[in-house]
Amino acid sequence: MHIEQAHKTIFRRPESLAETVTHYCPGCTHGIIHRLVAESLDELGLRERAVGVAPVGCSVLIYNYFNCDFLEAPHGRAPALATGFKRIRPDMIVFTYQGDGDLASIGMGEIVHAANRGEKITVVFVNNAIYGMTGGQMAPTTLAGQITSTCPHGRDTSVTGYPVRMSELLATLVTPGYIERVSVHSPMHIIRAKKAVRRAFEYQTSGTCFSLVEVLSTCPTNWGLTPTEATKWLEKNMFSYYPLGCFKQPDSAGVR
Amino acid sequence: MARILMKGNEAIAEAAIRAGATNYFCYPITPQTEVAEYLARRMPEVGGVFLQAESEIAVGNMLFGAASTGRRVFTSSSSPGISLMQEAISYIAGAQLPCVMLNIMRGGPGLGGILPAQSDYFQATKGGGHGDYRVLCLAPSSIQEAVDLTMSAFRLAEKYRNPVMIVGDGMIGQMMEPVEFPDTFDAGDPTANEAWAATGARGRKPRIIKSLFLDPLKLEENSLTLHRKYEQMKAEEVRFERYKINPKNELLIVSYGTMARICQTAIDELEREGVSVGLFRPISLFPYPEKELREEVDAKNIESILVIEMSCGQMVEDVERVVQGVKPVRFFGRTGGIVPSPEEAKEQIKNLLKKSARAKVGRTTGSVSKRARKG
């Protein structure tokens, strides 16, 4: 073997990720999802014209972990900020990174209308079925029967309704072009998730459509499980209610 | 440039464009919807951005995102809509971004009515949203002044990187007057904003536009930076008008916006009747012209101050703060969308002057009720 080949770098920190230690809990998948976004920005050469919009919630400090410009939005309003920015700077790449409390609860209005207007933005929607940062309260995505600090006897759907399936809901709209649900609880699923995230940015880069990737994610701390148990819990409990797959994509004729 | 007869709302909309604010986000609400209708036609002509949002909550946050580009951004609304924007206004102030908002006030609280009022004074000048922040607030009393102040507002917003609010009322928005736009207007160099705007981390470190500071020392530092800006505004941006103030006056009227305009008519008519009254009109509601008003209040000939507002009494609290009890402050207000007539204002003034004359005759008893409320 040649020396040159032996020293070839085959895996490194994406340039779009800052060299910073994150505050995320052990076993939390935000780190993986951050990496998928960063790799996509790197591969498509978008870092220098990207602006991210941070949510409120566990990933509120995301701007410390990325090596691109960022705005910090009020609770749930990231799609509105992204809209204001992108309308004025259509040449820039604008993405929001939002959790389920942020996007599906307080920000339900903003995401539905941004999607319906077909804003040429990319939304990374992280669904872990619980409010993480505030300490494990019920989210709109909390599963029926799931125990949280504000539904200590399990989510009672006769009182709180059923968990909201955001991808399916948004896919009923005519305008949004690309909506896919993925998971990052296993290496195989991470590879698939990466493809979806990259595709979402490609649709924005080509000016094709609004794109959203829903990522099923773990919250070992607030689920009260070890990281390994959490990945198993996700597969066992979330897949049946939140099926993976592409709900919407621009067809070959570009008609949505 | 020639004078054009224009409706207030449309004149303000045109002024924003001429000041270089070609990015407008809105949600319809009476009595300012003509701003949106005018700009829906006009923005495409100047290659600008016009977007009707799903709510004023979204509008405020679109403005936040849009201002982050460093370009000039504008919105307009009326009282309940401005309430919905308070979240974003607090964030925009916290993140130190420039933007201009127009509030064509209507009667409240709640859904209230659609007729003119000045009952958002507290909200506009004392915060409205959460946190230690202020909004630079300008109150025109004619359509020409609304045009001039709107254009200046964009320069001020960028000078301080702070929201600037123009407060008019349904009367300013709906009436028509001849206006003149300046032939040339130097809106300032928008490329200067590239120093702080989010433009993409090309050849520089990433920029973060935010209002979150988890370290209390950093948050305090941010709040103190804001505070210093507000102190600078107090030193440099105070605006007011003195109208027919002279040493013969015994009574000083303090009024702003549409109400001040009506007071001017009342003062003119009283002058013809041989009664001399002066008016002090704050134009900047924040920063409030404290020193200047106090000088007028301290004039020996002034025996009392009458504050007239289209509210149950909001600015009167600022006047009382300035007067500090050295002279009686009286108040007259109508609200709910009722615009007092010059006759009504005259009656109030005459009654006060009569009372004052009686008080002079039997001064020994001396106790004066601080406020005579009516309406």
Side-chain angles (χ1 to χ4, degrees):
Chain A
M1 183 187 278
H2 293 295
I3 293 290
E4 292 81 21
Q5 281 176 324
H7 286 265
K8 193 179 167 195
T9 303
I10 56 163
F11 192 77
R12 61 152 68 100
R13 178 189 294 274
E15 199 190 350
S16 295
L17 274 189
E19 213 170 317
T20 313
V21 176
T22 72
H23 71 287
Y24 298 118
C25 302
C28 168
T29 45
H30 268 310
I32 295 169
I33 304 164
H34 282 16
R35 187 178 173 101
L36 302 186
V37 172
E39 283 178 356
S40 300
L41 292 176
D42 275 17
E43 289 167 18
L44 299 169
L46 303 177
R47 185 189 72 82
E48 292 185 333
R49 59 183 177 116
V51 60
V53 187
V56 173
C58 285
S59 46
V60 67
L61 296 174
I62 184 173
Y63 44 73
N64 288 336
Y65 312 140
F66 270 76
N67 193 13
C68 66
D69 283 2
F70 250 94
L71 318 179
E72 168 57 47
H75 300 75
R77 318 291 179 223
L81 268 81
T83 297
F85 196 100
K86 183 78 181 185
R87 288 278 174 147
I88 296 179
R89 292 294 308 268
D91 55 315
M92 285 190 57
I93 298 300
V94 183
F95 68 96
T96 73
Y97 187 101
Q98 302 177 261
D100 41 37
D102 191 81
L103 180 138
S105 191
I106 195 167
M108 175 72 96
E110 282 72 22
I111 190 62
V112 169
H113 287 280
N116 191 52
R117 285 190 303 265
E119 299 298 341
K120 306 294 188 294
I121 61 171
T122 298
V123 176
V124 179
F125 167 42
V126 181
N127 179 2
N128 60 11
I130 204 160
Y131 278 80
M133 179 175 255
T134 46
Q137 296 77 32
M138 191 187 80
T141 47
T142 294
L143 295 170
Q146 186 183 337
I147 290 169
T148 75
S149 68
T150 50
C151 48
H153 306 297
R155 180 177 185 163
D156 178 353
T157 54
S158 72
V159 179
T160 62
Y162 280 84
V164 181
R165 295 184 179 111
M166 284 308 299
S167 287
E168 287 86 338
L169 189 150
L170 294 171
T172 64
L173 301 170
V174 176
T175 322
Y178 175 59
I179 296 167
E180 179 154 1
R181 183 184 288 123
V182 296
S183 175
V184 286
H185 72 292
S186 79
M188 181 189 80
H189 286 90
I190 291 169
I191 290 165
R192 288 183 189 163
K194 167 64 191 302
K195 282 184 184 152
V197 171
R198 186 184 153 127
R199 222 176 137 192
F201 277 106
E202 282 171 342
Y203 285 132
Q204 181 179 173
T205 311
S206 59
T208 307
C209 61
F210 171 90
S211 54
L212 177 141
V213 181
E214 175 174 347
V215 187
L216 299 185
S217 171
T218 59
C219 183
T221 300
N222 289 305
W223 290 356
L225 302 171
T226 66
T228 318
E229 287 166 349
T231 54
K232 286 180 187 147
W233 190 91
L234 186 155
E235 190 158 2
K236 185 175 169 214
N237 298 286
M238 290 181 80
F239 275 18
S240 53
Y241 194 80
Y242 296 117
L244 303 185
C246 184
F247 295 90
K248 225 164 175 218
Q249 59 186 316
D251 68 16
S252 54
V255 179
R256 294 184 289 280
Chain B
M1 193 181 163
R3 276 148 67 92
I4 320 165
L5 186 67
M6 281 185 96
K7 194 172 192 172
N9 282 332
E10 297 183 342
I12 292 168
E14 182 63 30
I17 286 187
R18 292 185 187 229
T22 50
N23 305 290
Y24 174 75
F25 302 85
C26 68
Y27 187 78
I29 179 169
T30 308
Q32 63 75 52
T33 304
E34 293 86 357
V35 180
E37 290 173 338
Y38 183 87
L39 291 176
R41 291 193 303 273
R42 192 79 172 89
M43 277 304 182
E45 290 173 10
V46 295
V49 171
F50 172 92
L51 185 61
Q52 181 175 326
E54 68 270 25
S55 71
E56 288 92 346
I57 296 175
V59 169
N61 287 288
M62 285 176 185
L63 214 61
F64 184 178
S68 305
T69 63
R71 307 277 174 84
R72 288 196 181 106
V73 296
F74 178 51
T75 191
S76 62
S77 190
S78 181
S79 309
I82 295 288
S83 290
L84 285 174
M85 292 183 197
Q86 293 302 325
E87 172 192 64
I89 296 171
S90 165
Y91 278 76
I92 293 169
Q96 301 199 54
L97 294 173
C99 69
V100 175
M101 295 161 292
L102 169 70
N103 183 4
I104 293 293
M105 294 183 281
R106 62 189 236 185
L111 207 46
I114 57 168
L115 293 172
Q118 293 180 322
S119 44
D120 300 350
Y121 181 92
F122 285 151
Q123 186 190 55
T125 62
K126 310 293 181 196
H130 58 284
D132 265 336
Y133 81 95
R134 292 296 183 101
V135 167
L136 206 158
C137 185
L138 304 170
S141 72
S142 71
I143 297 179
Q144 182 64 56
E145 193 178 28
V147 163
D148 297 341
L149 290 178
T150 300
M151 295 180 81
S152 306
F154 291 97
R155 265 201 300 241
L156 291 172
E158 281 170 35
K159 176 178 174 185
Y160 292 99
R161 280 173 60 191
N162 201 69
V164 176
M165 187 178 282
I166 308 289
V167 290
D169 59 58
M171 186 75 96
I172 294 279
Q174 294 296 322
M175 70 183 177
M176 291 183 85
E177 282 188 314
V179 289
E180 206 168 339
F181 293 95
D183 286 330
T184 54
F185 179 77
D186 178 15
D189 178 14
T191 58
N193 299 337
E194 308 258 318
W196 53 262
T199 55
R202 189 178 294 107
R204 61 159 171 79
K205 283 185 178 166
R207 276 187 200 142
I208 304 161
I209 294 178
K210 62 167 183 153
S211 58
L212 177 70
F213 301 92
L214 291 173
D215 176 347
L217 288 172
K218 291 264 167 61
L219 179 56
E220 187 184 47
E221 191 185 311
N222 192 56
S223 293
L224 292 176
T225 303
L226 298 181
H227 182 71
R228 281 191 289 274
K229 289 202 302 197
Y230 307 141
E231 291 301 307
Q232 191 190 342
M233 287 176 196
K234 286 180 186 175
E236 296 177 21
E237 310 304 339
V238 165
R239 290 161 191 242
F240 60 95
E241 186 193 14
R242 295 185 183 93
Y243 188 72
K244 297 195 174 170
I245 290 181
N246 69 63
K248 285 187 289 177
N249 301 154
E250 290 173 11
L251 179 68
L252 178 70
I253 296 171
V254 187
S255 190
Y256 71 97
T258 291
M259 194 62 239
R261 181 95 171 260
I262 293 162
C263 288
Q264 286 180 349
T265 305
I267 288 167
D268 292 346
E269 288 178 13
L270 285 169
E271 192 179 38
R272 286 195 283 277
E273 296 169 26
V275 180
S276 173
V277 183
L279 166 78
F280 186 89
R281 176 170 76 93
I283 296 171
S284 57
L285 301 183
F286 182 85
Y288 199 75
E290 295 169 14
K291 280 196 300 260
E292 296 76 6
L293 174 58
R294 184 58 195 253
E295 279 166 22
E296 301 307 334
V297 167
D298 283 342
K300 276 191 184 152
N301 51 298
I302 294 298
E303 295 186 353
S304 63
I305 297 98
L306 172 62
V307 180
I308 308 186
E309 291 178 80
M310 282 149 46
S311 80
C312 287
Q314 298 195 13
M315 186 182 73
V316 65
E317 294 193 5
D318 274 338
V319 176
E320 285 173 338
R321 189 168 54 81
V322 168
V323 175
Q324 292 183 313
V326 298
K327 284 178 185 172
V329 174
R330 299 163 191 277
F331 173 77
F332 170 68
R334 297 295 302 268
T335 189
I338 295 167
V339 180
S341 63
E343 287 67 34
E344 212 171 341
K346 267 167 70 181
E347 191 192 325
Q348 291 298 317
I349 296 165
K350 280 180 167 176
N351 285 345
L352 265 180
L353 288 172
K354 265 186 223 160
K355 270 188 203 162
S356 169
R358 278 202 298 273
K360 263 192 232 168
V361 173
R363 184 153 274 173
T364 44
T365 49
S367 158
V368 185
S369 81
K370 215 172 176 195
R371 287 194 203 170
R373 287 181 187 261
K374 188 189 170 186

